[in-house]
Amino acid sequence: MFLFNYAYRLKCILRNRELMFWTLMFPILLAILFNLAFSNIYSTEKFIKVNVALVQNDALTANPAFSDALSKMDDLFVVSQTTLEEADALLKENQIDGYIIFDPELKLKVNRSGLNQTIIRGFLDDFLQSSATLVTVISENPAALESGTIAGVYSRTDYLSAVSASKSSPDTTVHFFYTLIAMTCLYGGFLGVNEVIAIQANLSDVGARINTAPTNKLTVFLSSMLAATTIQLAELLLLLAFIVGVLGISFGDQLGYIALACVIGSLTGVTFGTFIAATVKKSEGIITGILIGSTMTMSFLAGMMSADIKYLVATKMPILGYLNPANLITNSFYALYYYNTPTQFFINILLLCGFTLLFSATTYFILRRQTYASL
Amino acid sequence: MMVINVKNLVKRYGDLIALDHFNLQVQEGEVLGLLGPNGSGKTTAINCILSLLKYDKGSIEIYDQPMAPDAYAIKRNIGVVMQNVAVFNELTVYENIDYFCGLYISDKQTRKKLVAEAIDFVGLNDFTKFLPKKLSGGLLRRLNIACGIAHKPKLIILDEPTVAVDPQSRNSILEGIQKLNQQGATIIYTSHYMEEVEQIASRIAIMDKGKIIAMGTNEELKRMIKSGEHINLELLNAEDLDLEAIKAIPDIISAELSDNQLVVTSSRGKNNLIVILDQLKAQHIAIGKVYSEPPTLNDVFLEITGKELRD
């Protein structure tokens, strides 16, 4: 009976187009939309090198130190060696942000003000200041040249250094994909609702027919749940494969833990649906509405629409984060991606297991009542 | 052998009493028609018998065993055809029958044979790969029946299986039920269509307000009431009729004129046709068609409750 019902429930779920859309296609579409929305998020912050022309003349030849200093700034400038006429033409056509000329003093010519022009100006000022300092030091204390203390004039010392607490570089966009996975896990609730409705005599006609048959209701329910969880897990893996393989979002490299998070997340989602369907004594439409509403609220609080909300919950009301399965699933993936130890991951997984047990036990105690007060 | 024995069943929905000390005994091999208007308690009674509904008082025995949700040995012998079509929309005709049969029969080969027989029985051979949404209302009802009877139950309960079915499919369904009975099944058939019940039931129980108010064969029930046949007369000059003179004829229970149709009901066993015709002749009333109708179950219901069966 267990396998017989399992096979038929798999067929029913796979052929239910509406169910398959919301639990598989909708998350994939959202993933594509997220990817489109976030693909340009860093392009505005990406540094583009400053185009600058250096006019070749005798004065420049007499100051080789400047050419040398400029050539060392290749991560900041793209330098073109030009004649004065060529530099003017390039500036006119906006091919360069400005040009530098020794005439005979060091000069900068630009045709507008902006960040790039300020960068060139800053470099020139720094060069001039350092040069003046060196000239002063050498003229007043030539011994400094030999003692090496003069090196401090042009060397730069960083007194702060960035140390990463994680093994991966911070990326705020992955968080949105983790909440999407969490939402998909909880959308497994649709499958849970579907299975409870199919076996409850007060919720469906087929449920009434099944209840008149000589079969153990718990056996039918457990095999239906297994079918729902199988589909949910398969859908989740497809979504993960799409996000990782097609969209290129990283989930870390701990495949065993990722699989565990998917299994527990799927179970939490499916049992959440059965819990709602078993406890809400209303029509299928109202049950579905409550499921969608609660899932979206949990995803919102987990930061799916804005990462600030997640931060707000974590700082102002942290308990809410621990009571939110969507947040726990999100944090599980987050922990795998960022942290070097699995402690945080397992805390989240244990809390999810607790929710799964709570949902399952409540559903069981309600469903085991095999007669109804009304149909 | 007693198949079903229901004693003093009481079912309340708050202040509403859906079943009021309901009693029912069904013998093996009979077709019991449970007749009553909508809301009389037929479906509630069936759901209690099937242990789907909790009840407040009374007892239910099937095959001399107390009926309970986990009475699997009893349930194995019962087939149920619900009032609403109870099939999975995602499964084909064949798969639906196979699934519901599989809840009773685990052996694959046996099930295959039974499913084929059920499909043949309801005449769905050409539609086995169809999904339910592709079937007409009549075919859907046939599928609903096939899902309920495929495992060859000894007791079949059909709860208004012909609701919203075209006349052709209805006849096919009724013939099928008679065939099942001939094959040995005991049948309980609920309906608010008296013609259906009259056609197939060997015994009829009439329900109203959660109680059985009359029970017996078709003839026994009609003998319980005092009214006899209805004489229908088409009057060509009805405006000249003295209706009171007709009503004054001895043994006439009622006389009603509607348009040009005069319907006269006499006491049971009294034939007043000649006297009525003489009276109309005396009033110089020209007569078109004349025909008589025997009393119906509606008359039985009307006389016992004072209201029409289809009210």
Side-chain angles (χ1 to χ4, degrees):
Chain A
M1 171 47 60
F2 191 91
L3 289 176
F4 173 79
N5 187 66
Y6 175 77
Y8 265 113
R9 289 314 302 158
L10 282 183
K11 271 188 193 178
C12 283
I13 296 168
L14 287 171
R15 289 180 190 173
N16 188 327
R17 288 180 188 178
E18 195 182 349
L19 203 56
M20 293 305 288
F21 173 80
W22 287 110
T23 55
L24 177 63
M25 295 312 296
F26 181 64
I28 287 178
L29 286 174
L30 270 185
I32 293 169
L33 287 174
F34 277 2
N35 193 53
L36 287 174
F38 299 142
S39 59
N40 294 323
I41 203 165
Y42 291 121
S43 63
T44 53
E45 297 172 14
K46 194 176 173 185
F47 179 74
I48 299 168
K49 289 182 184 178
V50 179
N51 289 307
V52 62
L54 183 61
V55 176
Q56 303 290 307
N57 57 18
D58 293 339
L60 175 67
T61 311
N63 285 281
F66 181 79
S67 295
D68 188 41
L70 190 62
S71 67
K72 285 177 182 169
M73 305 301 286
D74 57 348
D75 55 342
L76 201 61
F77 299 118
V78 177
V79 183
S80 312
Q81 310 284 341
T82 62
T83 61
L84 179 61
E85 291 73 24
E86 286 169 342
D88 277 327
L90 286 171
L91 188 62
K92 198 175 178 184
E93 292 166 9
N94 290 322
Q95 303 265 329
I96 54 174
D97 297 299
Y99 67 81
I100 301 165
I101 184 168
F102 278 87
D103 186 28
E105 298 298 315
L106 192 56
K107 288 181 181 173
L108 170 66
K109 187 166 184 189
V110 296
N111 60 4
R112 62 180 167 187
S113 60
L115 178 65
N116 288 358
Q117 287 76 14
T118 306
I119 290 171
I120 306 170
R121 179 79 264 165
F123 167 75
L124 294 183
D125 288 346
D126 191 39
F127 178 80
L128 288 172
Q129 191 178 356
S130 298
S131 302
T133 305
L134 282 172
V135 168
T136 305
V137 170
I138 293 167
S139 60
E140 291 184 5
N141 183 18
L145 194 62
E146 290 176 6
S147 66
T149 53
I150 201 162
V153 175
Y154 51 84
S155 69
R156 296 288 182 269
T157 304
D158 287 327
Y159 293 98
L160 294 173
S161 65
V163 180
S164 176
S166 74
K167 57 194 170 192
S168 303
S169 55
D171 182 350
T172 51
T173 62
V174 295
H175 164 79
F176 290 97
F177 289 95
Y178 295 161
T179 58
L180 179 63
I181 296 283
M183 187 204 77
T184 307
C185 285
L186 295 183
Y187 264 27
F190 283 115
L191 299 166
V193 166
N194 195 47
E195 294 316 303
V196 170
I197 286 173
I199 63 156
Q200 282 290 75
N202 58 345
L203 292 176
S204 68
D205 295 316
V206 286
R209 199 195 275 282
I210 288 169
N211 276 268
T212 63
T215 50
N216 186 299
K217 195 173 171 183
L218 194 61
T219 307
V220 175
F221 177 66
L222 285 177
S223 71
S224 298
M225 280 289 290
L226 185 64
T229 308
T230 306
I231 300 283
Q232 167 67 9
L233 198 53
E235 287 176 335
L236 199 56
L237 291 177
L238 275 175
L239 179 65
L240 267 175
F242 181 79
I243 290 175
V244 175
V246 179
L247 304 184
I249 306 298
S250 174
F251 278 74
D253 52 4
Q254 302 177 80
L255 289 177
Y257 288 152
I258 291 171
L260 179 65
C262 287
V263 171
I264 301 297
S266 296
L267 277 172
T268 308
V270 173
T271 54
F272 177 61
T274 65
F275 171 79
I276 297 278
T279 51
V280 178
K281 309 286 184 196
K282 298 289 177 190
S283 65
E284 185 179 351
I286 292 176
I287 290 171
T288 307
I290 290 172
L291 179 72
I292 293 173
S294 51
T295 302
M296 292 317 289
T297 304
M298 286 190 279
S299 300
F300 173 75
L301 292 174
M304 191 166 88
M305 289 77 172
S306 164
D308 294 342
I309 298 295
K310 185 179 174 65
Y311 177 74
L312 202 67
V313 170
T315 51
K316 303 290 181 191
M317 204 185 284
I319 186 72
L320 201 57
Y322 289 109
L323 294 175
N324 180 356
N327 190 52
L328 295 173
I329 297 168
T330 305
N331 284 354
S332 299
F333 286 108
Y334 210 70
L336 284 181
Y337 181 67
Y338 280 118
Y339 300 132
N340 297 321
T341 62
T343 312
Q344 189 60 40
F345 171 78
F346 279 116
I347 289 171
N348 293 315
I349 290 294
L350 280 174
L351 285 169
L352 283 171
C353 286
F355 274 112
T356 304
L357 277 175
L358 175 73
F359 294 149
S360 306
T362 310
T363 306
Y364 168 74
F365 282 112
I366 292 172
L367 292 192
R368 73 192 175 123
R369 295 180 207 145
Q370 291 183 304
T371 50
Y372 302 85
S374 63
L375 293 179
Chain B
M1 184 190 180
M2 186 90 81
V3 175
I4 295 179
N5 189 7
V6 180
K7 288 181 185 169
N8 284 318
L9 203 63
V10 176
K11 169 69 186 172
R12 291 190 184 91
Y13 292 112
D15 293 335
L16 179 80
I17 299 178
L19 293 175
D20 186 4
H21 296 89
F22 176 84
N23 290 285
L24 183 72
Q25 285 75 42
V26 182
Q27 300 294 328
E28 189 167 29
E30 72 173 330
V31 178
L32 179 89
L34 200 53
L35 182 67
N38 289 332
S40 59
K42 302 185 298 292
T43 300
T44 302
I46 295 300
N47 286 337
C48 286
I49 290 170
L50 291 169
S51 268
L52 287 175
L53 269 181
K54 284 177 189 165
Y55 46 89
D56 300 292
K57 204 172 151 187
S59 67
I60 299 168
E61 287 185 357
I62 298 180
Y63 292 110
D64 296 327
Q65 299 292 318
M67 182 57 174
D70 57 355
Y72 299 142
I74 298 174
K75 284 183 166 184
R76 210 171 294 283
N77 294 311
I78 302 175
V80 185
V81 178
M82 300 285 181
Q83 190 171 354
N84 297 325
V85 175
V87 296
F88 287 108
N89 291 325
E90 300 85 6
L91 299 180
T92 64
V93 165
Y94 183 93
E95 288 167 341
N96 262 299
I97 301 171
D98 184 53
Y99 177 77
F100 288 110
C101 186
L103 297 177
Y104 298 79
I105 309 289
S106 55
D107 181 66
K108 202 172 175 180
Q109 288 306 314
T110 311
R111 199 168 67 236
K112 195 173 176 183
K113 184 171 162 282
L114 288 171
V115 171
E117 285 176 10
I119 289 170
D120 201 38
F121 183 81
V122 295
L124 285 175
N125 305 65
D126 296 335
F127 305 95
T128 52
K129 289 182 179 170
F130 279 50
L131 289 172
K133 65 182 175 187
K134 299 281 182 190
L135 299 178
S136 67
L139 293 177
L140 207 51
R141 287 278 164 187
R142 290 198 221 173
L143 170 61
N144 197 35
I145 291 172
C147 291
I149 57 115
H151 59 286
K152 292 257 167 81
K154 290 199 286 182
L155 169 64
I156 302 171
I157 298 174
L158 300 108
D159 189 10
E160 308 216 24
T162 59
V163 171
V165 170
D166 61 278
Q168 196 183 348
S169 291
R170 178 177 293 182
N171 285 337
S172 164
I173 289 169
L174 295 177
E175 283 168 17
I177 291 166
Q178 285 174 314
K179 206 188 290 181
L180 287 168
N181 179 241
Q182 286 158 11
Q183 290 169 359
T186 303
I187 289 169
I188 297 180
Y189 185 92
T190 82
S191 179
H192 61 275
Y193 295 120
M194 58 185 177
E195 302 86 352
E196 288 184 0
V197 175
E198 277 186 287
Q199 186 182 333
I200 65 164
S202 52
R203 207 156 59 97
I204 299 164
I206 299 180
M207 279 191 79
D208 188 42
K209 293 180 179 172
K211 283 183 184 176
I212 289 184
I213 55 171
M215 186 183 262
T217 63
N218 193 10
E219 295 309 314
E220 284 169 348
L221 287 171
K222 287 171 186 174
R223 279 202 296 272
M224 287 177 189
I225 56 172
K226 61 181 181 182
S227 61
E229 64 182 356
H230 305 285
I231 297 168
N232 290 264
L233 302 108
E234 184 189 10
L235 309 183
L236 300 181
N237 51 337
E239 62 279 6
D240 301 327
L241 177 71
D242 178 5
L243 192 59
E244 294 308 312
I246 302 290
K247 287 179 178 174
I249 297 171
D251 299 318
I252 295 289
I253 292 175
S254 67
E256 287 173 16
L257 183 67
S258 174
D259 293 329
N260 61 345
Q261 285 288 325
L262 176 65
V263 181
V264 182
T265 305
S266 304
S267 300
R268 185 164 49 83
K270 301 291 180 185
N271 189 339
N272 290 309
L273 180 60
I274 302 299
V275 184
I276 294 164
L277 291 176
D278 284 347
Q279 177 59 242
L280 291 173
K281 191 178 175 185
Q283 291 184 32
H284 304 289
I285 304 293
I287 300 166
K289 283 185 277 185
V290 177
Y291 60 95
S292 73
E293 289 176 317
T296 63
L297 290 174
N298 189 46
D299 296 314
V300 178
F301 192 78
L302 181 65
E303 200 162 309
I304 296 172
T305 66
K307 60 187 180 186
E308 297 276 344
L309 190 56
R310 287 176 183 168
D311 278 355

